């Protein structure tokens, strides 16, 4: 299995709702990522997990809460979002990079989130 | 500061014409450079990376450290090349952080 899967494909939520985005990979990758992509813009890194531990948080608001329950799963918990948080949320995974190497990131298809 | 610049939002060419998508970067050390492609309704995928020096789907890119550029080239464009192309940079080390340019939409006309 060489794919990153994401569920759901589409999500509409109100500003008071709590929802979660899920990401799964079975390639044995130990680094996993969340990106946010607005329309016609490049992906923006939100979080990086290495060996199931949060290694990078790009100053993301606390209404976004990541979780990595095991090496194959990555969740993004959403609470009290704003309409401007509407975007495509991408998950990616890769082998862990080292000082001399950088491994390709494999991207999922994304979850299209609309906050009403 | 780390930055990737793609000056063209849209590049329109005719089938069979040469293509060059420009990418310039700013990085204080020795970066790794990539080109990612996003076809319509498909996921973002790696096209090529400078360190492998491969040619994928007829595309090549050469890292020019003097001009801090990593332009993507193809001698003869095909309609199926129409897509959004992102140049991306990563610094060496274990941070796994990828910085994307703003992207260039390539439209190949028949």
């Amino acid at each position: 299995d060489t794919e990153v899967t994401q569920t759901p494909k589409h999500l509409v939520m109100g500003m008071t709702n709590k929802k979660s985005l899920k990401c799964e990979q079975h390639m044995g990758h130990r680094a996993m990522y969340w990106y946010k992509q607005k329309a016609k813009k490049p992906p923006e890194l939100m979080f990086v997990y290495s060996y199931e531990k949060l290694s990078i948080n790009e100053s993301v608001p606390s209404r976004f809460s990541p979780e990595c329950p095991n090496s194959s799963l990555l969740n993004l918990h959403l609470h009290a979002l704003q309409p401007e948080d509407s975007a495509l949320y991408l998950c990616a995974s890769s082998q862990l990079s080292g000082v001399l190497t950088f491994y390709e990131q494999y991207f999922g298809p994304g979850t299209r989130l609309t906050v009403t | 500061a780390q930055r990737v610049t793609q000056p063209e939002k849209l590049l329109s060419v005719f089938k069979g014409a040469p293509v060059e998508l420009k990418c310039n970067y700013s990085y204080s050390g020795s970066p790794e450079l990539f080109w990612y492609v996003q076809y319509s309704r498909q996921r973002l995928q790696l096209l090529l990376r400078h360190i492998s020096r491969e040619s994928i789907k007829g595309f090549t890119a050469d890292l020019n450290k003097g001009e801090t550029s990593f332009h993507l080239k193809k001698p003869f464009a095909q309609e199926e090349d129409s897509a959004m192309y992102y140049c991306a940079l990563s610094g060496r080390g274990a941070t796994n952080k990828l910085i994307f340019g703003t992207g260039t939409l390539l439209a190949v006309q028949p």
Side-chain angles (χ1 to χ4, degrees), chain A residues 3-4 31 33 35 37 41-43 45 48 50 56 58 96-105 107-109, chain B residues 9 32 34 36 38 42-46 49 51 84 86 90-98 100-103:
Chain A
E3 276 201 348
V4 175
Y33 316 77
Y35 288 86
Q37 186 176 25
K41 298 288 187 182
L45 184 65
V48 180
S50 302
I56 295 178
E58 290 288 289
L96 275 169
S97 298
V99 175
L100 299 179
T101 56
F102 185 97
Y103 290 102
E104 173 185 356
Q105 293 187 21
F107 284 83
Chain B
K9 284 189 176 181
E32 296 229 26
F34 308 82
Y36 276 81
Q38 195 167 28
Q42 293 188 28
R43 65 186 68 200
L44 195 62
Q45 56 188 288
L46 181 69
R49 54 193 299 178
I51 200 166
M84 179 67 84
Y86 292 102
S90 173
R92 295 182 186 274
T95 59
N96 297 359
K97 189 172 176 177
L98 201 59
F100 288 89
T102 49

Side-chain angles (χ1 to χ4, degrees), chain B:
Chain B
Q2 300 176 23
R3 187 183 303 132
V4 178
T5 303
Q6 294 180 249
E8 302 139 329
K9 284 189 176 181
L10 171 66
L11 183 63
S12 183
V13 301
F14 287 104
K15 176 182 174 181
V19 170
E20 183 179 48
L21 303 175
K22 297 189 188 306
C23 172
N24 288 89
Y25 66 91
S26 173
Y27 186 75
S28 57
S30 182
E32 296 229 26
L33 274 297
F34 308 82
W35 277 99
Y36 276 81
V37 60
Q38 195 167 28
Y39 299 102
S40 179
R41 301 183 187 279
Q42 293 188 28
R43 65 186 68 200
L44 195 62
Q45 56 188 288
L46 181 69
L47 181 62
L48 53 79
R49 54 193 299 178
H50 90 270
I51 200 166
S52 63
R53 303 184 69 82
E54 291 178 307
S55 172
I56 306 293
K57 299 185 178 183
F59 285 97
T60 58
D62 290 320
L63 181 62
N64 185 322
K65 292 185 178 180
E67 296 182 358
T68 59
S69 68
F70 188 56
H71 303 327
L72 184 67
K73 300 178 183 180
K74 184 170 182 177
F76 307 104
Q78 303 298 314
E79 290 181 66
E80 55 265 30
D81 296 328
S82 297
M84 179 67 84
Y85 291 80
Y86 292 102
C87 183
L89 169 156
S90 173
R92 295 182 186 274
T95 59
N96 297 359
K97 189 172 176 177
L98 201 59
I99 297 169
F100 288 89
T102 49
T104 297
L105 180 62
L106 174 64
V108 181
Q109 310 296 331

Side-chain angles (χ1 to χ4, degrees), chain A residues 36 46-47 57-66 76-77 79-82 85:
Chain A
K36 175 181 178 179
M46 300 174 71
F47 303 104
N57 177 342
E58 290 288 289
S59 302
V60 179
S62 59
R63 58 185 183 269
F64 295 91
S65 175
L76 186 62
H77 303 298
H79 174 54
L81 294 193
Q82 304 297 311
D85 295 322

Side-chain angles (χ1 to χ4, degrees), chain A residues 22-59:
Chain A
K22 297 185 184 301
C23 173
E24 192 166 2
Q25 57 89 13
H26 294 288
M27 295 179 276
H29 291 165
R30 301 309 295 271
M32 296 187 77
Y33 316 77
W34 280 115
Y35 288 86
K36 175 181 178 179
Q37 186 176 25
K38 301 284 271 185
K40 300 185 180 180
K41 298 288 187 182
E44 296 177 14
L45 184 65
M46 300 174 71
F47 303 104
V48 180
Y49 272 82
S50 302
Y51 289 114
E52 296 89 69
K53 292 193 187 321
L54 185 64
S55 58
I56 295 178
N57 177 342
E58 290 288 289
S59 302

Side-chain angles (χ1 to χ4, degrees), chain A residues 82-102:
Chain A
Q82 304 297 311
E84 58 264 29
D85 295 322
S86 298
L88 182 68
Y89 287 84
L90 298 172
C91 175
S93 72
S94 74
Q95 297 181 54
L96 275 169
S97 298
V99 175
L100 299 179
T101 56
F102 185 97

